[in-house]
Amino acid sequence: MLGRRLARGGRPGIVGVAARTAVVAGTATAVSGRVARHQAEKAAAQQVVEQPEYAPAPAAAAGGMTDETLDALERLGKLHEQGVLTDTEFAVQKDRLLRG
């Protein structure tokens, strides 16, 4: 055994190199996964904070709305029900239509 070790010059064998590479690769993968998850959580939290709050539009008299506005509101409602528009997108577009 001692002769084999000296014959290689004290370097680890192929199995030792493969094991060390596997440990390094596994550690790097774990660390990069944790960093990516942390960055995604941080970005999601920041996005929630940066979303503006929309106040509901003041109620407009039905007589003051045009047929175009009513049709557009109906189309928006259908898109919202179908899931095409999120709650926020629906509120923004509805507010835009009601404000003229």
Side-chain angles (χ1 to χ4, degrees), residues 21-55:
T21 302
V23 168
V24 170
T27 303
T29 301
V31 169
S32 69
R34 181 171 155 83
V35 168
R37 186 172 48 251
H38 176 71
Q39 288 175 342
E41 289 170 356
K42 188 175 177 182
Q46 188 176 18
Q47 185 179 13
V48 169
V49 170
E50 289 179 358
Q51 258 185 353
E53 291 291 324
Y54 292 99

Side-chain angles (χ1 to χ4, degrees), residues 5-16:
R5 182 170 282 169
L6 292 176
R8 287 192 310 235
R11 294 176 291 164
I14 190 78
V15 173

